[in-house]
């Protein structure tokens, strides 16, 4: 926090001018729209022009391309993304002029307080899918929710919507303890695993953070957690208040009965404390998606949503963008794209992909961040060995510098038959050279690996 002796809610009032640094980002664009709807005068900047920037301009929100202290104008406050550092010229300019600077999560937290129901979905994995499932359910119930998702949802043609109902549904990330700025009335904890070890010290530190997140829920609210996940249960142990649980392997308040597969897709009854609540036919593959659906159904139940809306909402859900997303066919091989960037996510993804009985599973993987690759190196090797063919793009740096001297080539040396590609163009060339009818090609990672698959499909056209 910088230059901000007063809480951000004091500034989120009609007439104040807010400058958003990185306004074109996935959670900043909807924030700009919400703030404008609250009567603030909104402006911002971003490094590149984009569809979101064009959208904001169409709403009368001025956006500067490039970061410069002059962009601040006569703003009353600055809101920045986690990717914008103190050395950014607009942040430095605001500090020099005494303009208060707040984090994006603080702004969303203040907005959240305006809603009677704040449904916050957290966890190491599955946040985007579960938040998307909740959105489908609440839309089917005509609840008109406000939504913030960390990916694109086809139903919304975006990653967010601004509604007029009494519920906000928010994907809630633990990185840098962002979600501790929120005010959940319903906190969902899908799982707690080792990740973001560039910020957290270890798993115990991560569990402590999730425990603090759960403790933000008021006594009249609800904490929902995965009974099957050791990390989640450890984080919430002896919390001193009721926990509404969901799960498949251990006793839980919300479970799946009569679970079968129809063409590889799970079909089951959602049971709440032994009573039938809804029947679900998922359009997705994999056990992990059953757990996500149970989490979404639990959220709907505690907020009084009828089971029929759960049935209708989940029946129409085909996945969020970059979550096992079908992209097309190349030389008879099906091409999918997925955001998985953690060993657990890779395991769930490949397990689901095997349900489709491909001739070969070809995995083009781009590790995300040097620290994650180094800290979880052996586990990445273990999972990547499960592919029939593993093609490894160079590590996507994201916010980091390669101070560890690590490369995807190091992973390749431990994975028999794998191929290292120093550029995405080389990934595309490799896929083009080996694709055969019946193959399932997966482009996987949280960076820009999807471009390799898109270029592959363009060459087929």
């Amino acid at each position: 926090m910088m230059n901000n002796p007063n809480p951000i809610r004091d500034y989120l009032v009609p007439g104040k001018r807010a400058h958003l640094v990185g306004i074109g980002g996935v959670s900043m664009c909807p924030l700009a729209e919400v703030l404008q709807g609250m009567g603030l005068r909104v402006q911002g900047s971003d490094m590149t022009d984009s569809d979101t920037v064009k959208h904001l301009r169409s709403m009368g929100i001025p956006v500067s391309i490039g970061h410069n202290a002059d962009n601040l104008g006569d703003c009353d406050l600055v809101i920045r993304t986690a990717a914008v550092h103190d050395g950014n010229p607009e942040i430095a300019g605001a500090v020099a002029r005494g303009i208060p600077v707040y984090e994006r999560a603080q702004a969303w937290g203040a907005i959240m307080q305006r809603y009677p129901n704040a449904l916050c979905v957290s966890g190491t994995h599955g946040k985007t899918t579960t938040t998307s499932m909740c959105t489908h359910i609440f839309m089917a119930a005509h609840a008109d929710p406000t939504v913030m998702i960390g990916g694109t949802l086809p139903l919304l043609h975006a990653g967010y919507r601004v509604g007029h109902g009494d519920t906000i549904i928010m994907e809630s990330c633990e990185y840098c303890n962002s979600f501790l700025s929120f005010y959940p009335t319903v906190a969902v904890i899908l799982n707690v695993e080792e990740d973001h070890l560039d910020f957290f010290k270890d798993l115990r530190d991560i569990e402590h953070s999730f425990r603090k997140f759960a403790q933000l829920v008021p006594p009249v609210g609800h904490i929902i957690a995965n009974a099957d996940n050791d990390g989640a249960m450890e984080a919430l142990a002896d919390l001193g208040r009721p926990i509404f649980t969901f799960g498949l392997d251990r006793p839980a308040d919300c479970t799946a009965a009569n679970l079968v597969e129809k063409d590889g897709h799970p079909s089951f009854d959602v049971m709440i404390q032994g009573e039938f609540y809804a029947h679900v036919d998922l359009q997705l593959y994999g056990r992990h998606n059953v757990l996500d659906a149970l989490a979404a159904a639990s959220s709907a139940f505690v907020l009084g949503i009828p089971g029929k809306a759960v049935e209708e909402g989940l029946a129409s859900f085909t996945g969020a963008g970059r979550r096992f997303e079908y992209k097309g066919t190349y030389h008879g091989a099906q091409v999918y794209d997925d955001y998985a960037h953690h060993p657990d996510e890779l395991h769930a993804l490949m397990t689901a992909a095997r349900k489709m009985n491909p001739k070969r599973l070809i995995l083009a993987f781009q590790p995300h961040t040097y620290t994650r690759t180094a800290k979880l190196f052996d586990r990445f090797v273990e999972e990547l060995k499960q592919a029939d063919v593993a093609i490894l793009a160079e590590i996507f740096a994201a916010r980091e510098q390669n101070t560890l001297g690590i490369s995807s080539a190091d992973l390749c040396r431990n994975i028999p038959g794998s191929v290292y590609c120093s550029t995405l163009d080389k990934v595309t060339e490799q896929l083009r050279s080996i694709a055969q009818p019946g193959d399932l090609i997966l482009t996987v990672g949280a960076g820009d690996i999807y471009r390799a698959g898109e270029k592959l499909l363009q060459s087929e056209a």
Side-chain angles (χ1 to χ4, degrees):
M1 292 188 283
M2 310 172 72
N3 286 5
N4 43 2
N6 299 321
I8 189 173
R9 64 175 177 269
D10 291 353
Y11 291 91
L12 301 187
V13 295
K16 292 288 188 183
R17 184 178 294 278
H19 180 86
L20 276 59
V21 186
I23 197 170
V26 67
S27 67
M28 291 291 272
C29 178
L31 176 60
E33 194 170 334
V34 170
L35 293 176
Q36 186 185 58
M38 291 167 56
L40 280 79
R41 295 179 294 165
V42 180
Q43 62 182 47
S45 63
D46 210 289
M47 286 302 295
T48 57
D49 214 334
S50 64
D51 290 340
T52 52
V53 166
K54 292 172 184 174
H55 169 70
L56 291 169
R57 285 175 174 157
S58 74
M59 297 183 62
I61 296 175
V63 179
S64 302
I65 300 302
H67 294 162
N68 189 304
D70 292 341
N71 294 337
L72 298 174
D74 61 348
C75 71
D76 297 297
L77 74 156
V78 171
I79 302 172
R80 66 176 178 181
T81 70
V84 174
H85 301 295
D86 294 352
N88 180 282
E90 295 181 10
I91 303 303
V95 171
R97 290 172 52 188
I99 301 169
V101 179
Y102 296 93
E103 305 293 334
R104 170 192 61 198
Q106 292 175 289
W108 277 116
I111 290 167
M112 199 175 291
Q113 290 179 281
R114 298 167 178 260
Y115 290 83
N117 301 322
L119 170 52
C120 296
V121 180
S122 74
T124 311
H125 329 292
K127 293 186 293 293
T128 297
T129 295
T130 306
T131 308
S132 298
M133 286 178 170
C134 289
T135 300
H136 266 252
I137 291 169
F138 280 74
M139 292 287 282
H142 306 290
D144 194 16
T146 292
V147 177
M148 178 61 236
I149 305 171
T152 299
L153 181 60
L155 175 70
L156 306 181
H157 304 290
Y160 67 93
R161 79 182 297 270
V162 179
H164 299 91
D166 63 3
T167 300
I168 183 169
I169 302 172
M170 192 85 180
E171 182 170 334
S172 306
C173 183
E174 75 276 15
Y175 183 60
C176 294
N177 284 328
S178 290
F179 62 0
L180 299 187
S181 293
F182 290 172
Y183 294 86
T185 64
V186 179
V188 179
I189 299 178
L190 300 170
N191 36 61
V192 180
E193 308 285 356
E194 280 191 311
D195 198 13
H196 298 304
L197 294 173
D198 57 324
F199 175 76
F200 294 109
K201 293 193 292 287
D202 50 29
L203 179 57
R204 185 166 296 277
D205 189 26
I206 298 169
E207 290 172 351
H208 179 68
S209 183
F210 277 91
R211 185 180 185 86
K212 290 176 69 176
F213 173 65
Q215 289 172 330
L216 296 174
V217 178
V220 294
H222 304 274
I223 300 168
I224 297 172
N226 183 355
D228 293 348
N229 183 257
D230 291 339
M233 291 297 97
E234 183 65 30
L236 300 176
D238 302 317
L239 194 64
R241 57 178 299 179
I243 309 294
F244 189 99
T245 56
F246 65 92
L248 292 171
D249 296 330
R250 297 173 181 169
D253 295 300
C254 178
T255 61
N258 305 313
L259 176 59
V260 295
E261 289 187 356
K262 298 178 180 178
D263 298 323
H265 297 144
S267 174
F268 56 94
D269 294 329
V270 178
M271 307 297 289
I272 304 290
Q273 294 163 348
E275 298 291 329
F276 176 84
Y277 177 50
H279 177 78
V280 172
D281 291 308
L282 285 181
Q283 305 302 309
L284 310 172
Y285 294 92
R287 178 186 177 88
H288 60 296
N289 283 313
V290 176
L291 284 167
D292 290 346
L294 291 177
S298 298
S299 304
F301 175 80
V302 300
L303 287 174
I305 300 297
K308 191 69 175 174
V310 173
E311 295 177 352
E312 293 176 5
L314 294 182
S316 64
F317 179 64
T318 56
R322 301 216 61 213
R323 271 66 179 180
F324 204 32
E325 180 182 7
Y326 176 69
K327 305 296 287 189
T329 302
Y330 178 80
H331 284 189
Q334 291 184 299
V335 181
Y336 283 76
D337 181 64
D338 196 271
Y339 196 74
H341 55 283
H342 185 279
D344 289 347
E345 294 167 346
L346 281 175
H347 182 83
L349 173 65
M350 286 193 281
T351 300
R354 291 289 184 192
K355 297 280 187 183
M356 300 174 67
N357 298 313
K359 178 180 176 183
R360 293 186 301 172
L361 180 58
I362 299 173
L363 186 73
F365 179 63
Q366 180 188 52
H368 189 262
T369 73
Y370 305 111
T371 52
R372 181 183 286 114
T373 306
K375 292 287 182 71
L376 303 177
F377 188 92
D378 291 342
R379 294 196 58 208
F380 274 120
V381 168
E382 179 185 350
E383 296 302 337
L384 291 167
K385 282 181 177 178
Q386 305 310 310
D388 295 306
V389 181
I391 300 169
L392 299 185
E394 190 48 271
I395 298 168
F396 190 82
R399 54 192 171 264
E400 296 183 346
Q401 299 293 320
N402 191 7
T403 59
L404 301 174
I406 192 169
S407 167
S408 291
D410 299 319
L411 289 169
C412 264
R413 281 190 283 273
N414 291 272
I415 303 169
S418 62
V419 179
Y420 167 71
C421 295
S422 58
T423 67
L424 290 185
D425 283 345
K426 290 182 179 179
V427 173
T428 302
E429 291 171 12
Q430 185 67 25
L431 291 172
R432 188 181 291 126
S433 69
I434 66 173
Q436 299 174 7
D439 288 344
L440 175 57
I441 295 173
L442 282 168
T443 57
V444 183
D448 57 359
I449 184 69
Y450 64 91
R451 298 182 187 277
E454 290 179 350
K455 191 168 183 178
L456 178 72
L457 293 171
Q458 288 168 2
S459 64
E460 175 88 332

